[in-house]
Amino acid sequence: MIKAKGYAALSAKAPLTPYSFERRDPKDHDVVIDIKFSGICHSDIHMARDEWGFGSPFPMVPGHEIAGVVQAVGPKVTKFKVGDHVGVGCMVDSCRTCVNCKQELENYCIPGNTMTYGSMERDGSAVTQGGYSNIIVTNEDFVLNIPKSFPLDKAAPLLCAGVTTYSPLKHWKAGPGKKVGVLGLGGLGHMAVKYAVAMGADVTVISHSDKKREDAKRFGAVNFINTKNPEVFTEYAVSFDLIINTVSSADLDMASLFGLLKLDGALVNVGAPEKPMSVNVFPLILMRRTFAGSAIGSIKETQEMLNFSAEHQIMPEIEVIAPDQVNAAYERVLKSDVRYRFVLDMAKL
Ligand code: NAP
Ligand code: ZN
Ligand code: ZN
């Protein structure tokens, strides 16, 4: 076994604390990764506090925005070599046999993919532990190649915030001639804006205050709506082809937001609030609108997103911090006091 150290939540009520544990020795197709940077996703907070009621297993080392360097490879690894820059996102395995896995959509694996942390390995050997740590051992099929020109600290958030927004924008065909709204300008939201702009869409940020108006413009949005002003729902009624909802709370006036969509428009939830959302279906019925959801992205799509990010020089705005600041960072994420993603510098562990 390989000795590992990191930060773990020992229970849903406890702050994260230094933690020592073990990783498996590399199997034939495993890649051993020296973790350099690990992003803090709002999902880590939902999981570490068991807010989704999944019955999160503890101790839990969160982290699914992992960027690092290959330290060793198993004897049958063909995709990576020592020294490569690589990433690991939200999943580390899947059943590989269901209809969705067969179509390279492991993120929608029917029995459920193996999450990077908080899942039982498929062979039942251990509960997975995530990226707030110095080392990880991952099957090569779930490891991504990070172009060497791309800074590793800025690559980390792409592994979740990047692909989770890139995927629905591609699926719902954001591009020239399309009006796209991005609801919530946090870690995911600011990536959604950058990708939608790069894809050629006309992008509007829909926020609940004016605080991020200037940033939205800087990221390429042509318009900014503050929903605290009720008149915007009349002014912008029936005007968007697509709205990506990245808000972490269920406390939203969904009926008014649906009203912003054109005929056949779609509002896609990537935000995963702990409480159920209440939906009045009439605004959906009246304009044949769609209310949809989307989960991260496939491995193939994650690689495509990394290549697209390198080609278009799309990078997240990050604040790099030492791992011992993780608990303070969680509190700041909850107060929206980060522009726009915390990244843990694992060399400071
Ligand atoms: P984040 O950085 O905290 O951003 C969330 C944003 O939501 C904040 O910027 C905040 O905007 C806005 N917000 C919070 N409460 C609001 C309210 N009541 N009304 C309007 N806006 C509100 O979080 P994140 O890391 O981007 O994650 C966002 C959500 O996506 C989380 O629920 C996370 O679990 C989920 N997620 C889902 C997937 C997936 O596969 N579907 C993947 C990753 C994450 P202000 O700054 O303006 O307050
Ligand atoms: Zn995430
Ligand atoms: Zn499957």
Side-chain angles (χ1 to χ4, degrees):
M1 298 294 266
I2 300 172
K3 289 205 177 315
K5 56 185 179 169
Y7 268 76
L10 301 183
S11 76
K13 299 256 178 315
L16 273 62
T17 177
Y19 180 66
S20 294
F21 61 108
E22 288 180 329
R23 300 286 192 187
R24 66 173 180 262
D25 288 319
K27 294 191 275 190
D28 282 354
H29 288 280
D30 280 343
V31 179
V32 183
I33 302 165
D34 176 10
I35 301 178
K36 300 293 186 194
F37 295 99
S38 198
I40 295 181
C41 177
H42 204 122
S43 298
D44 295 340
I45 305 178
H46 292 307
M47 282 287 287
R49 298 183 175 182
D50 200 14
E51 290 176 347
W52 287 329
F54 287 178
S56 293
F58 294 100
M60 174 192 288
V61 179
H64 57 210
E65 293 185 336
I66 299 169
V69 178
V70 175
Q71 198 180 82
V73 292
K76 293 191 179 159
V77 167
T78 57
K79 298 178 184 163
F80 300 98
K81 58 181 191 313
V82 172
D84 283 354
H85 287 189
V86 292
V88 176
C90 299
M91 53 186 174
V92 290
D93 207 351
S94 72
C95 85
R96 299 170 186 241
T97 56
C98 75
V99 63
N100 294 348
C101 283
K102 288 279 187 214
Q103 293 182 80
E104 296 187 277
L105 290 168
E106 316 81 6
N107 48 323
Y108 298 113
C109 173
I110 294 170
N113 59 60
T114 307
M115 296 185 298
T116 301
Y117 63 87
S119 274
M120 182 55 79
E121 291 279 9
R122 297 200 106 75
D123 62 4
S125 58
V127 170
T128 55
Q129 299 291 8
Y132 299 0
S133 59
N134 61 333
I135 195 162
I136 191 165
V137 180
T138 307
N139 183 286
E140 63 175 329
D141 294 338
F142 287 80
V143 176
L144 287 307
N145 175 55
I146 296 174
K148 276 234 164 109
S149 62
F150 208 94
L152 274 179
D153 54 354
K154 294 198 172 181
L158 301 184
L159 276 302
C160 176
V163 71
T164 301
T165 50
Y166 179 89
S167 177
L169 288 167
K170 281 295 291 272
H171 185 79
W172 274 273
K173 302 187 168 53
K178 291 284 176 75
K179 283 196 80 167
V180 174
V182 174
L183 182 58
L185 193 65
L188 266 59
H190 90 296
M191 292 313 302
V193 173
K194 291 186 181 204
Y195 287 129
V197 168
M199 289 171 190
D202 174 304
V203 183
T204 298
V205 168
I206 308 168
S207 194
H208 62 156
S209 79
D210 273 329
K211 282 187 224 154
K212 296 176 176 172
R213 190 181 279 273
E214 290 311 312
D215 283 354
K217 265 195 218 151
R218 186 159 59 80
F219 301 152
V222 291
N223 218 338
F224 186 95
I225 294 178
N226 178 350
T227 56
K228 281 273 147 46
N229 172 9
E231 284 164 23
V232 296
F233 292 104
T234 316
E235 194 181 333
Y236 292 92
V238 201
S239 61
F240 291 95
D241 297 285
L242 173 66
I243 295 175
I244 306 287
N245 177 15
T246 72
V247 170
S248 50
S249 158
D251 186 18
L252 292 169
D253 176 0
M254 295 310 287
S256 296
L257 291 164
F258 292 145
L260 299 176
L261 294 169
K262 289 179 185 169
L263 173 69
D264 290 328
L267 187 149
V268 182
N269 240 79
V270 291
E274 55 187 286
K275 296 205 183 87
M277 297 172 92
S278 142
V279 168
N280 174 347
V281 295
F282 278 94
L284 296 176
I285 291 171
L286 292 175
M287 287 277 166
R288 201 167 55 190
R289 295 166 172 132
T290 303
F291 181 32
S294 181
I296 49 173
S298 68
I299 292 297
K300 191 175 162 192
E301 209 169 25
T302 307
Q303 191 60 60
E304 182 188 306
M305 172 278 309
L306 285 166
N307 299 346
F308 183 88
S309 305
E311 187 189 329
H312 294 266
Q313 287 291 294
I314 297 174
M315 295 183 196
E317 315 270 311
I318 59 170
E319 185 176 335
V320 179
I321 56 171
D324 62 4
Q325 292 175 267
V326 64
N327 292 304
Y330 274 22
E331 293 311 315
R332 284 183 54 197
V333 171
L334 293 172
K335 285 191 272 180
S336 285
D337 177 24
V338 52
R339 298 289 189 278
Y340 277 83
R341 200 59 144 186
F342 283 117
V343 173
L344 302 176
D345 179 353
M346 299 321 300
K348 299 215 171 102
L349 192 63

